[in-house]
Amino acid sequence: MNLTLKIWRQKNAQDKGQLVDYKISDVSPDMSFLEMLDVLNDGLVEKGDEPVAFDHDCREGICGMCSLYINGEAHGPDRGVTTCQLHMRMFKDGDTIFIEPFRAKAFPVIKDLVVDRSAFDRIQHAGGFISVNTSGNTQDANAIPIPKHDADRAFDAATCIGCGACVATCKNSSAMLFVSAKVSQFALLPQGKVEAAERVLNMVEQMDHEGFGNCTNTGACEIECPKGISLENIARMNREYFKASIK
Amino acid sequence: MAKSALLKSSIGKKYWMALTGLFLCLFLVGHLAGNLQLLFGTQLQFNEYALFMTTNPAVKILSYVTYISILFHAIDGILLTIQNKKARPIGYAKNNAGANSAWASRNMAVLGTLILIFIATHMVNFWAKMHFTTMPLQKITVEAQPGATQDFYLTSGWGQDKFIPVQSVDGENIVLDGRDFYYTKPLKVKFAEGYKDLHTITIEFFKDPKWGLAFTIFYVFSMAVLAFHLLHGFNSAFQSLGANNPKYTPAIKVFGKGFAIIVPLLFAIIPLYIHFFK
């Protein structure tokens, strides 16, 4: 496959940045998208050019490090995958592919396609945890009976890898799908109920403080989420927030 | 924090958008029921209804809640939109939003602004005329004697209590716009303020030789805009209020779609019917 890549290049956070065209040939349809970028970077390094900076780590869709807004969609045109799981067979020979960083005020660009997603970490620090005694006499979590339905819902929410595709996709750069997943995974379980009210109030406050936009229920996040986190979580967060607010 | 949470937080603002939006959906149903009298009712019936809507104290309270809801919905919407725009200062060179979301859901602010413009013009055209101007009163032609007719105005007290706006007629049958009344004794003369003839104002508005067609097109267009706004807004309100559940959400979605199409459609039929068939 021969492709034209339009890649966002930006030296640093202060640089204005621009889209730069790259031609790449002999791309195998079996390559992952990141492998294709590796090949591009090899060529750039050989020529003595600066390689394109992009985030990646596990390359098996569980770490949430890879990002990229590919042809107008977070993690590219495929569904239920991260960019590392996106394969070049999703594209056609001769295609022009736009590759941009995730865009949001709360996700400032560090370099090229790498953005700072530590706003998510700060939201987690605000309440995305449960306080347990780890002094050695901790109760076995499996000893607490939990309805299967609730356990499944909690686990579904917990599969969120915090990649930020929801924010990147949302026309409002809203982080509600992420925050609601983190709220839900605890709100559904007895261990999480103890701090449920504080958690949702603090996490939402931090979310607003970070400069994410407001949810308008377009549902784009749910479609683009590599882990299929459901909008039901946002509704649950809205309920939890109301309950906590009138306490 | 919790004290301001229901007003200032992102989720709090969404609750208010949802609550005011759903209240305005109820208002639409009431308004539509009233308007449909232009198609299925008589002139008298419609003008009676218009008088009732401008004088009844319970309606007055509801109408103030409606004005406040419209203002709150609009202001909150504008604030949310500004915040949302600020949340992404640099946009994408290529954004394939159509792949993951419906057009209406992404354009609620634009649709809402168009609806607000419509509401403003609509209120100038009818509401303000009804409230603040001296309007022509509805005339009723009464057959006082065989072969001789006389014009009267109905008073606002008509149908409720004492006075009936007819010059004394010698205990005869009086025909008032299809209604028969029989009086056994002479009636007192009473020319009161009469019904404001909103019915005629409305018909003339859409049948205006110069602007009637333009008004009709504008009204039908605005109802199409409303349909798209509701197509997203109705269901979105339930999501914002936390009502999303595999059991009942599919039913809400079907109902919401039906509501979003049927209500604006019925509204739109009225100017079309008046302009082309009345």
Side-chain angles (χ1 to χ4, degrees):
Chain A
M1 292 167 83
N2 297 315
L3 302 165
T4 305
L5 307 176
K6 286 180 173 291
I7 302 179
W8 184 262
R9 300 303 309 262
Q10 183 173 338
K11 281 196 184 73
N12 51 46
Q14 286 73 44
D15 185 25
K16 238 183 116 200
Q18 58 178 336
L19 282 171
V20 177
D21 286 13
Y22 295 92
K23 296 270 180 203
I24 184 166
S25 48
D26 299 327
V27 173
S28 159
D30 298 327
M31 278 180 180
S32 80
F33 200 84
L34 295 187
E35 282 164 349
M36 184 274 294
L37 286 179
D38 290 338
V39 171
L40 174 79
N41 276 345
D42 282 347
L44 289 176
V45 171
E46 273 172 31
K47 273 199 287 181
D49 290 344
E50 181 82 8
V52 178
F54 61 89
D55 266 327
H56 62 102
D57 191 8
C58 75
R59 297 211 177 191
E60 54 187 1
I62 55 171
C63 76
M65 262 322 278
C66 58
S67 54
L68 305 187
Y69 212 68
I70 301 160
N71 266 355
E73 287 183 75
H75 297 296
D78 210 353
R79 293 285 172 258
V81 296
T82 53
T83 299
C84 62
Q85 297 169 301
L86 176 70
H87 284 81
M88 296 314 293
R89 65 182 79 99
M90 291 298 293
F91 301 92
K92 290 195 298 286
D93 186 37
D95 273 3
T96 298
I97 305 174
F98 282 75
I99 308 170
E100 299 174 75
F102 281 180
R103 295 284 191 198
K105 188 181 154 217
F107 286 171
V109 173
I110 299 168
K111 185 181 182 181
D112 294 340
L113 303 169
V114 179
V115 298
D116 179 1
R117 285 169 280 181
S118 51
F120 270 14
D121 298 336
R122 290 188 290 274
I123 294 173
Q124 280 287 66
H125 296 167
F129 51 82
I130 55 169
S131 307
V132 288
N133 189 346
T134 54
S135 61
N137 54 0
T138 312
Q139 189 183 2
D140 180 4
N142 289 323
I144 306 169
I146 296 164
K148 169 100 169 67
H149 180 81
D150 290 352
D152 286 351
R153 297 273 145 147
F155 190 80
D156 285 348
T159 56
C160 168
I161 52 176
C163 66
C166 46
V167 173
T169 296
C170 177
K171 81 184 222 335
N172 312 318
S173 307
S174 169
M176 288 232 192
L177 194 67
F178 166 76
V179 180
S180 71
K182 299 302 169 196
V183 165
S184 288
Q185 72 184 45
F186 294 124
L188 285 158
L189 300 177
Q191 295 95 325
K193 290 213 159 71
V194 183
E195 294 155 304
E198 284 169 60
R199 176 181 306 115
V200 69
L201 290 174
N202 291 337
M203 288 181 85
V204 169
E205 194 190 18
Q206 187 65 34
M207 171 183 83
D208 290 349
H209 177 73
E210 295 289 348
F212 291 104
N214 307 284
C215 175
T216 51
N217 307 324
T218 67
C221 52
E222 182 183 41
I223 306 285
E224 297 291 348
C225 175
K227 296 297 160 187
I229 303 293
S230 162
L231 279 188
E232 282 171 36
N233 291 299
I234 298 184
R236 183 178 297 107
M237 174 169 72
N238 292 347
R239 292 197 294 273
E240 291 284 323
Y241 190 80
F242 185 73
K243 271 193 276 176
S245 299
I246 56 173
K247 256 186 188 170
Chain B
M1 175 193 60
K3 274 178 194 158
S4 65
L6 287 179
L7 266 183
K8 287 184 181 164
S9 72
S10 52
I11 296 182
K13 286 203 193 83
K14 294 301 298 174
Y15 295 150
W16 287 107
M17 283 308 273
L19 288 173
T20 50
L22 284 178
F23 178 78
L24 291 172
C25 285
L26 277 180
F27 158 76
L28 284 178
V29 173
H31 193 2
L32 179 63
N35 283 14
L36 285 176
Q37 295 178 69
L38 284 163
L39 296 187
F40 302 111
T42 59
Q43 182 186 11
L44 177 64
Q45 202 181 336
F46 184 77
N47 285 339
E48 262 179 352
Y49 159 75
L51 181 77
F52 171 78
M53 293 304 283
T54 42
T55 50
N56 184 284
V59 172
K60 228 168 207 162
I61 293 166
L62 271 182
S63 66
Y64 280 109
V65 179
T66 309
Y67 305 147
I68 291 165
S69 290
I70 292 171
L71 283 177
F72 206 100
H73 197 77
I75 292 167
D76 207 24
I78 291 165
L79 289 177
L80 284 165
T81 306
I82 292 170
Q83 273 185 353
N84 293 344
K85 293 272 171 221
K86 276 190 192 158
R88 178 168 297 144
I90 302 166
Y92 294 107
K94 181 168 182 180
N95 192 12
N96 188 13
N100 50 43
S101 54
W103 180 84
S105 74
R106 299 193 304 272
N107 291 282
M108 290 300 274
V110 176
L111 294 167
T113 307
L114 289 173
I115 294 168
L116 193 64
I117 293 169
F118 169 74
I119 292 172
T121 61
H122 182 55
M123 285 178 84
V124 168
N125 291 334
F126 298 109
W127 177 88
K129 272 187 200 160
M130 189 71 190
H131 280 79
F132 306 123
T133 64
T134 45
M135 277 171 60
L137 302 179
Q138 182 181 346
K139 262 196 288 188
I140 305 278
T141 303
V142 173
E143 209 173 319
Q145 280 151 12
T149 60
Q150 219 172 334
D151 291 343
F152 298 102
Y153 296 119
L154 285 173
T155 70
S156 57
W158 184 82
Q160 288 170 20
D161 46 32
K162 37 203 189 288
F163 53 94
I164 292 156
V166 183
Q167 217 159 5
S168 68
V169 180
D170 286 327
E172 298 304 327
N173 200 24
I174 301 172
V175 181
L176 292 180
D177 204 15
R179 297 171 187 221
D180 293 337
F181 294 93
Y182 183 72
Y183 303 101
T184 51
K185 48 186 176 180
L187 300 161
K188 282 191 178 152
V189 182
K190 179 90 183 182
F191 284 98
E193 71 269 34
Y195 284 116
K196 289 185 172 182
D197 195 1
L198 189 64
H199 187 271
T200 303
I201 292 275
T202 309
I203 306 290
E204 280 174 357
F205 180 79
F206 290 113
K207 288 210 76 86
D208 187 272
K210 207 173 164 195
W211 294 104
L213 183 64
F215 290 149
T216 305
I217 291 169
F218 175 66
Y219 271 62
V220 172
F221 169 77
S222 297
M223 288 307 105
V225 171
L226 178 65
F228 280 105
H229 197 74
L230 289 174
L231 218 45
H232 176 68
F234 191 93
N235 294 325
S236 179
F238 285 91
Q239 166 78 8
S240 290
L241 293 173
N244 184 343
N245 181 298
K247 266 188 214 153
Y248 51 73
T249 298
I252 294 176
K253 281 191 173 165
V254 170
F255 182 81
K257 279 211 172 112
F259 185 93
I261 293 165
I262 291 166
V263 170
L265 185 70
L266 289 174
F267 269 117
I269 285 172
I270 297 166
L272 284 172
Y273 175 80
I274 293 173
H275 183 78
F276 291 107
F277 300 110
K278 203 115 184 178

